[in-house]
Amino acid sequence: MRIKKMLAVLLTFVMLLGCASTAFAAYNTANPAYDAHLSFNEDGKFRIVNYSDFQDDETLSTLTAAFIRKSMEELKPDLVVLTGDNIAGYSCANARQAKRAIAGFMDIFQELYDAGEGAPVAAVFGNHDDQDCGYSKEEQMAQYMTYSCFVGYDEGDAVEGVGNYNVPIFSSTDPEKIAFNVWMWDSGTYDETNGGYDHIKPGQIAWYKETSDALKAANGGEPVYSLSFQHIIPREIFDALEETGSGNGAVGANGTFYRLPDTAVPGSVLGEGPCPGTVNGGQFQAFLDQGDVLGTVSGHDHVNTFIVPYQGIDIINTPTAGFHSYGNAETRGLRVFDLDESDTSTYKTEIILYEDMMKDEPTMALYKFINFFKEIAAWFSTMWTRIKSAFGS
């Protein structure tokens, strides 16, 4: 009987140890994001600056470089978040060029960080980062991780994709308490099975739920409010927008036309049809189930700057901050998020346009020239199309 009791105690201990190991695996603190120990400032404030879609080749645009420096100087962020298509893999002939493309902007962030004028950087991948360049996401993440200012990491094969991690923001008064959280996701590239863009996978959602539960448990059973960042927008955007007929500023997507609903935050711009994944992987529903995500932030669609509330979660788009891909003067820029520790259930955000930030800078002349050239090229392209059509060719 005594042996049976001893075996029962031992079995219970092993089971508890297993549960503890599972919880620890879900709440992994042995990574750069936790080591950075970001926290709210003494005044209880925390600022995130979000750049998206630099999408440059091996030579970083002079305009983009100037924009990064100026915005970092003026906005003084506590964290920089890059939401994918950080480089244009398709414009890089090989891994060497792709490596130089990443270094183009990361060298700037590191220089500013070393000088005490920068901030830690977190990044996710988009559909173009590793496209046709022979430089995989794993290799790219390894390069990012050589920078001491970078707080992201590759979690390995346990979760689909590369670069799914969370960045905790600790309390200004309690160094052990996580007061806010930032989710970072690899939203994939292209859906090889169904066509179109990719989507969040089951393993990623399981990782999110486990980590979210662990954060909640450590927070006395209350969810830790958060913002979520990825490249490709969730498919629920089509439910959040208003279906309409063509015209009146409507954009075509998903086989129909849409416009912003009346609930969209003032100043929102729907400049093109959103391009989510072909399949709905259930990520947004997981956000609803967990109750911790205030807003999900995406890039990908370069001329969209909207915020559309949907079922209590804001669907947010950040425009391109780059110049080697499409965009326009009305939306090109970055997004700022301001958090306040006194009420982490909400946030403030705004778009900072390139034209407004750089209006007094010498590079504005180059910017205006590039825009003028693009307008002239577009006019000639339209005229040529009409001429060919008139002559039946």
Side-chain angles (χ1 to χ4, degrees), residues 206-266:
W207 157 78
Y208 157 68
K209 287 187 171 182
E210 290 173 0
T211 309
S212 174
D213 284 343
L215 290 169
K216 180 179 179 179
N219 193 41
E222 295 296 323
V224 176
Y225 289 117
S226 60
L227 287 169
S228 177
F229 293 87
Q230 62 197 61
H231 183 68
I232 298 173
I233 196 166
R235 197 165 179 81
E236 277 76 6
I237 185 57
F238 291 136
D239 300 316
L241 296 175
E242 182 180 322
E243 290 191 24
T244 184
S246 60
N248 298 319
V251 299
N254 195 34
T256 188
F257 286 90
Y258 297 90
R259 67 180 181 184
L260 290 170
D262 293 339
T263 55
V265 171

Side-chain angles (χ1 to χ4, degrees), residues 135-212:
Y135 198 40
S136 69
K137 288 181 181 179
E138 288 83 1
E139 292 170 318
Q140 291 186 31
M141 181 61 80
Q143 180 182 348
Y144 279 106
M145 291 181 68
T146 63
Y147 291 89
S148 61
C149 66
F150 189 70
V151 298
Y153 65 100
D154 179 3
E155 73 293 337
D157 297 331
V159 182
E160 296 98 334
V162 178
N164 303 282
Y165 54 97
N166 68 297
V167 182
I169 303 173
F170 290 84
S171 169
S172 61
T173 58
D174 182 353
E176 300 299 319
K177 176 180 174 59
I178 296 176
F180 198 82
N181 187 55
V182 173
W183 299 103
M184 304 292 288
W185 300 77
D186 180 2
S187 55
T189 54
Y190 300 98
D191 190 327
E192 297 179 357
T193 301
N194 304 288
Y197 293 108
D198 212 343
H199 59 279
I200 299 298
K201 306 299 194 307
Q204 294 172 280
I205 294 174
W207 157 78
Y208 157 68
K209 287 187 171 182
E210 290 173 0
T211 309
S212 174

Side-chain angles (χ1 to χ4, degrees), residues 262-307:
D262 293 339
T263 55
V265 171
S268 294
V269 175
L270 179 63
E272 64 177 307
C275 297
T278 303
V279 173
N280 189 332
Q283 178 196 33
F284 197 88
Q285 183 59 52
F287 290 162
L288 294 174
D289 294 342
Q290 295 299 114
D292 57 355
V293 173
L294 304 176
T296 174
V297 188
S298 305
H300 192 45
D301 304 315
H302 293 197
V303 294
N304 289 340
T305 66
F306 55 72
I307 303 176

Side-chain angles (χ1 to χ4, degrees), residues 69-83:
R69 291 184 181 278
K70 180 71 171 178
S71 56
M72 291 292 288
E73 174 188 348
E74 290 201 3
L75 299 175
K76 296 178 171 51
D78 299 296
L79 175 66
V80 169
V81 173
L82 309 180
T83 37

